[in-house]
Amino acid sequence: MFKWLHPLAKPETVYQLCGRLYPWLLTAALLLLLLGNIWGLAFTPPDYQQGDSYRIIHIHVPAAIMSMGAYSAMAIAAFVALVWQVKVAQWSVLAIAPIGAVYTAIALITGMAWGKPMWGTWWVWDARLTSELILLFLYLGVIALSGAFSDRQTGAKVASLLAVVGVINLPVIHFSVEWWNTLHQGASITKFAKPSIDPSMLWPLLISILAFKVLMLALICLRLRTAILVNEQHRPWVRAMAGDQ
Amino acid sequence: MVALATFLQRELRLLARQKADWLNPVLFFVIVLSLFPLGIGPEPNLLRIIAPGVIWIAALLSVLLAAERLFKDDYRNGVLEQLVATRQALWPFVFAKLISNWLSTGLPLVLLSPLVALLLNVDSASFLAMLLTLLLGTPLLSLLSVLGAALTVSADKGGILLALLILPLYIPLLIFASAAMEAAAMALPYYGQLAIMLAMLLVALALVPFAVNSALKINVS
């Protein structure tokens, strides 16, 4: 496996790989997004209880799932960066962080927009809401830390360290918030009781989740390419490429 | 062990000479606490209800205030760089920082807790819980602030950044500490919350020194 992974430590290879993958991923993401969201927003039957409001799950749920997926991807990259000192992994931490932060923000905002008609309030200090908010703070911490050093390399390393520390802390935050909430108030309106979702609603949701995932991969490719170019701008291969075009 | 004692002696001597470093956070703690009754109103029952949260938020903020200067001087005058350059183990230095940080910020909060209990009209059952949570929680605060200070030691704008990094990590502690005090106020058992705080403290004690070690090395290299 290492034989197969090893070329990926070389920035030039990753740059070209990302360049080849990006158009495919972007096309697939846009097609899936159109299919999943149009199907979900326009062609599924309305919910018997929530009416049309539930349709926001086609954006909310994929963003929420991928906000956590992005964090685990970032943490794995950070771990690789710290243990094996792989520079590409370091840069991908910084490439993933803003995408994850935006996904988290989308999940929070769409959740609030759904909560207003359903719960009658924009914000409840529910366990899930609170841990998602803290996840956003962790992303912002990684982004802010990476930009706080005059040396870009140090910033990337320290941000990787924070991402790894955050992943240890993530379950602690999750469970503490869950217990805190149940200690204080009975779960009445805040429970995401999911009556086994109807297949007609499930399929567009699954397609939307896949679309958000592929979109995230495409965006990571784009950002990673830029990061590689910025960090390797004095290397011969970048100069040769810039000279060619 | 000899190295630890030497470093600890040095830290304590520095603390004895720079009294403002540890007196200001303690003063800040008392002032923040006295602002709450002024802002919310001096109704004793209301104060008793909000006391658990208020005490812990004030403690978090005052510890944060002290955290910023933890490694700054050692970084500026080159001590840190020399330490890393000697390739000796960093842990005696890290533990000396931890112990001196707790002695200068955590211990004063524990000692001040009777006064705080009087100010906020806390009854004796909750006071015991408050004392226990402060005893278990302040070492954890020290661990996390040492970690935050180590991450940001060579950053240009450390201060605000430190708050952004550390406060999310403090949240579990805040939740369990105030839950324990609230349970005590309602005469319920609160050993579960204390046990979880102790568990968090032990896990942090095992893992944080490694993270601090590599953070310091990254920052000075």
Coordinates of all heavy atoms in Angstrom, one line a residue, chain A residues 145 149 158, chain B residues 63-64 66-72 75 80 97 101 141-155 158 161-163 165-166 170 211-212 215-216 219:
Chain A
L145 N -5.5 30.1 13.5 CA -4.1 29.7 14.0 C -3.2 29.6 12.8 O -2.0 30.1 12.9 CB -4.2 28.4 14.7 CG -2.9 28.1 15.5 CD1 -2.6 29.1 16.5 CD2 -3.1 26.7 16.2
F149 N 0.8 33.2 12.1 CA 2.3 33.2 12.1 C 2.9 33.9 10.9 O 2.3 33.8 9.8 CB 2.8 31.8 12.2 CG 2.4 31.1 13.5 CD1 1.2 30.5 13.6 CD2 3.2 31.0 14.6 CE1 0.8 29.8 14.7 CE2 2.9 30.4 15.7 CZ 1.6 29.8 15.8
V158 N 1.3 24.1 13.2 CA 0.6 24.3 14.4 C -0.9 24.1 14.2 O -1.5 23.5 15.1 CB 0.9 25.7 15.0 CG1 0.1 26.0 16.2 CG2 2.4 25.9 15.3
Chain B
V63 N -8.2 32.5 34.1 CA -7.1 31.6 33.7 C -6.6 31.9 32.3 O -5.4 31.9 32.1 CB -7.5 30.1 33.8 CG1 -6.5 29.2 33.2 CG2 -7.7 29.7 35.3
L64 N -7.5 32.3 31.5 CA -7.1 32.7 30.1 C -6.2 33.9 30.1 O -5.3 34.0 29.3 CB -8.4 33.0 29.3 CG -8.3 33.0 27.8 CD1 -8.0 31.6 27.3 CD2 -9.6 33.5 27.2
A66 N -4.1 34.7 32.4 CA -2.7 34.3 32.8 C -2.0 33.5 31.7 O -0.8 33.5 31.6 CB -2.8 33.6 34.1
A67 N -2.8 32.8 30.9 CA -2.2 31.9 29.9 C -1.4 32.6 28.9 O -0.4 32.0 28.5 CB -3.4 31.1 29.2
E68 N -1.8 33.8 28.5 CA -1.1 34.4 27.4 C 0.4 34.6 27.7 O 1.2 34.5 26.8 CB -1.7 35.7 27.1 CG -1.5 36.2 25.7 CD -1.7 37.7 25.5 OE1 -2.5 38.2 26.3 OE2 -1.0 38.2 24.6
R69 N 0.8 34.9 28.9 CA 2.2 35.2 29.2 C 3.0 34.0 29.6 O 4.2 34.1 29.9 CB 2.2 36.2 30.4 CG 1.6 37.5 30.0 CD 1.7 38.6 31.0 NE 3.1 38.6 31.6 CZ 4.0 39.3 31.0 NH1 3.8 40.0 29.9 NH2 5.2 39.3 31.5
L70 N 2.4 32.8 29.6 CA 3.1 31.6 30.1 C 4.4 31.4 29.4 O 5.4 31.2 30.1 CB 2.2 30.4 29.8 CG 1.4 29.8 31.0 CD1 0.5 28.7 30.5 CD2 2.4 29.3 32.0
F71 N 4.5 31.3 28.1 CA 5.8 31.1 27.4 C 6.3 32.3 26.8 O 7.4 32.2 26.2 CB 5.6 29.9 26.4 CG 5.3 28.6 27.0 CD1 4.0 28.1 26.8 CD2 6.2 27.9 27.6 CE1 3.7 26.8 27.4 CE2 5.9 26.6 28.2 CZ 4.7 26.1 28.0
K72 N 5.6 33.4 26.8 CA 6.0 34.6 26.0 C 7.4 35.0 26.4 O 8.3 35.2 25.5 CB 5.0 35.7 26.2 CG 4.0 35.8 25.2 CD 4.5 36.2 23.8 CE 3.4 36.6 22.8 NZ 3.0 35.5 21.9
Y75 N 10.1 32.7 25.4 CA 10.3 32.7 24.0 C 11.1 34.0 23.6 O 12.1 33.9 22.8 CB 9.0 32.7 23.2 CG 9.1 32.8 21.8 CD1 9.6 31.7 21.0 CD2 8.7 34.0 21.1 CE1 9.7 31.8 19.6 CE2 8.8 34.1 19.7 CZ 9.3 33.0 19.0 OH 9.4 33.1 17.7
L80 N 13.6 29.4 25.6 CA 12.9 28.3 24.9 C 13.8 27.7 23.8 O 14.0 26.5 23.7 CB 11.6 28.8 24.4 CG 10.5 27.8 24.3 CD1 10.2 27.2 25.6 CD2 9.2 28.6 23.9
K97 N 6.2 24.3 34.3 CA 5.3 25.3 33.9 C 3.9 25.0 34.4 O 3.1 25.9 34.9 CB 5.2 25.5 32.4 CG 6.3 26.3 31.8 CD 6.1 27.7 32.0 CE 7.2 28.5 31.3 NZ 7.3 29.9 31.9
N101 N 2.0 27.2 37.0 CA 0.7 27.8 36.6 C -0.5 27.5 37.5 O -1.3 28.4 37.8 CB 0.4 27.4 35.1 CG -0.8 28.0 34.6 OD1 -1.9 27.4 34.5 ND2 -0.7 29.3 34.2
L141 N -7.7 23.2 33.8 CA -7.6 24.5 33.1 C -6.2 24.8 32.9 O -5.8 25.4 31.8 CB -8.2 25.6 34.1 CG -9.7 25.7 34.2 CD1 -10.1 26.9 35.1 CD2 -10.3 25.8 32.9
S142 N -5.3 24.5 33.8 CA -3.9 24.8 33.7 C -3.3 24.0 32.5 O -2.6 24.6 31.7 CB -3.1 24.4 34.9 OG -3.4 25.3 35.9
L143 N -3.7 22.7 32.4 CA -3.2 21.9 31.3 C -3.6 22.5 29.9 O -2.8 22.6 29.0 CB -3.8 20.5 31.4 CG -3.1 19.5 32.4 CD1 -4.0 18.4 32.7 CD2 -1.8 19.0 31.7
L144 N -4.9 22.9 29.8 CA -5.4 23.4 28.6 C -4.8 24.7 28.2 O -4.4 25.0 27.1 CB -6.9 23.5 28.6 CG -7.6 22.1 28.6 CD1 -9.1 22.3 28.7 CD2 -7.3 21.3 27.4
S145 N -4.5 25.6 29.3 CA -4.0 26.9 28.9 C -2.5 26.7 28.6 O -2.0 27.5 27.7 CB -4.2 27.9 30.0 OG -4.0 27.3 31.3
V146 N -1.8 25.8 29.2 CA -0.4 25.5 28.8 C -0.4 25.1 27.3 O 0.5 25.6 26.5 CB 0.3 24.5 29.7 CG1 1.6 24.0 29.1 CG2 0.5 25.1 31.1
L147 N -1.3 24.2 26.9 CA -1.4 23.8 25.6 C -1.7 25.0 24.6 O -1.0 25.1 23.6 CB -2.5 22.7 25.4 CG -2.8 22.2 24.0 CD1 -1.6 21.5 23.4 CD2 -4.0 21.3 23.9
G148 N -2.6 25.8 25.0 CA -2.9 26.9 24.1 C -1.8 27.9 24.0 O -1.4 28.4 22.9
A149 N -1.1 28.1 25.1 CA 0.0 29.0 25.1 C 1.2 28.5 24.3 O 1.8 29.2 23.6 CB 0.5 29.3 26.6
A150 N 1.4 27.2 24.4 CA 2.4 26.5 23.6 C 2.1 26.6 22.1 O 3.0 26.8 21.3 CB 2.6 25.1 24.0
L151 N 0.8 26.5 21.7 CA 0.5 26.5 20.3 C 0.8 27.9 19.7 O 1.2 28.1 18.6 CB -1.0 26.2 20.1 CG -1.4 24.7 20.2 CD1 -2.9 24.5 20.2 CD2 -0.8 23.9 19.0
T152 N 0.5 29.0 20.5 CA 0.5 30.3 20.0 C 1.8 31.1 20.4 O 1.8 32.3 20.2 CB -0.7 31.1 20.5 OG1 -0.7 31.1 21.9 CG2 -2.0 30.6 19.9
V153 N 2.8 30.4 20.9 CA 3.9 31.2 21.5 C 4.6 32.1 20.5 O 4.9 33.2 20.8 CB 4.9 30.2 22.2 CG1 5.5 29.3 21.3 CG2 5.9 31.0 23.0
S154 N 4.7 31.7 19.2 CA 5.4 32.6 18.3 C 4.5 33.3 17.4 O 4.9 33.9 16.4 CB 6.5 31.8 17.5 OG 5.8 30.9 16.6
A155 N 3.2 33.2 17.7 CA 2.2 33.9 16.8 C 2.3 35.4 17.0 O 2.6 35.9 18.1 CB 0.8 33.4 17.1
G158 N -1.2 36.7 19.5 CA -1.5 35.6 20.3 C -2.8 35.7 21.1 O -3.6 34.8 21.2
L161 N -6.4 35.1 19.7 CA -6.3 33.8 19.1 C -6.4 32.7 20.2 O -7.1 31.7 20.1 CB -5.0 33.6 18.4 CG -4.9 32.5 17.5 CD1 -6.0 32.5 16.4 CD2 -3.5 32.5 16.9
L162 N -5.7 32.9 21.3 CA -5.7 32.0 22.4 C -7.1 31.7 22.9 O -7.5 30.6 23.2 CB -4.8 32.6 23.5 CG -4.4 31.6 24.6 CD1 -3.6 30.5 24.1 CD2 -3.6 32.3 25.7
A163 N -7.9 32.8 23.1 CA -9.3 32.6 23.5 C -10.1 31.7 22.5 O -10.8 30.9 22.9 CB -10.0 34.0 23.7
L165 N -9.0 29.5 20.6 CA -8.5 28.1 20.6 C -9.0 27.4 21.8 O -9.4 26.2 21.8 CB -7.0 28.0 20.5 CG -6.3 28.6 19.3 CD1 -4.8 28.3 19.4 CD2 -6.9 28.0 18.1
I166 N -8.9 28.0 22.9 CA -9.0 27.3 24.2 C -10.4 27.3 24.7 O -10.8 26.2 25.3 CB -8.1 28.1 25.3 CG1 -6.6 27.8 24.9 CG2 -8.3 27.5 26.6 CD1 -6.2 26.4 24.9
Y170 N -12.6 24.3 26.7 CA -13.1 24.4 28.1 C -14.5 24.0 28.3 O -15.0 23.8 29.4 CB -13.0 25.9 28.6 CG -11.6 26.3 28.9 CD1 -11.3 27.7 29.0 CD2 -10.6 25.4 29.3 CE1 -10.0 28.1 29.4 CE2 -9.3 25.9 29.6 CZ -9.0 27.2 29.7 OH -7.8 27.7 30.0
A211 N 1.5 16.9 23.3 CA 1.1 18.0 22.4 C 1.9 19.3 22.7 O 2.3 20.0 21.7 CB -0.4 18.3 22.5
V212 N 2.1 19.6 23.9 CA 2.8 20.8 24.3 C 4.3 20.7 23.8 O 4.8 21.6 23.2 CB 2.8 21.0 25.8 CG1 3.7 22.1 26.2 CG2 1.4 21.3 26.3
A215 N 4.3 21.2 20.1 CA 4.0 22.5 19.8 C 5.2 23.5 20.0 O 5.5 24.4 19.2 CB 2.8 23.0 20.6
L216 N 5.9 23.3 21.1 CA 7.0 24.1 21.4 C 8.1 23.9 20.4 O 8.7 24.9 19.9 CB 7.6 23.8 22.8 CG 6.7 24.3 24.0 CD1 7.3 23.9 25.3 CD2 6.5 25.8 23.9
N219 N 7.2 25.7 17.2 CA 7.3 27.1 17.3 C 8.7 27.7 17.3 O 8.8 28.8 16.8 CB 6.5 27.6 18.6 CG 5.1 27.8 18.3 OD1 4.8 28.8 17.6 ND2 4.2 27.0 18.8

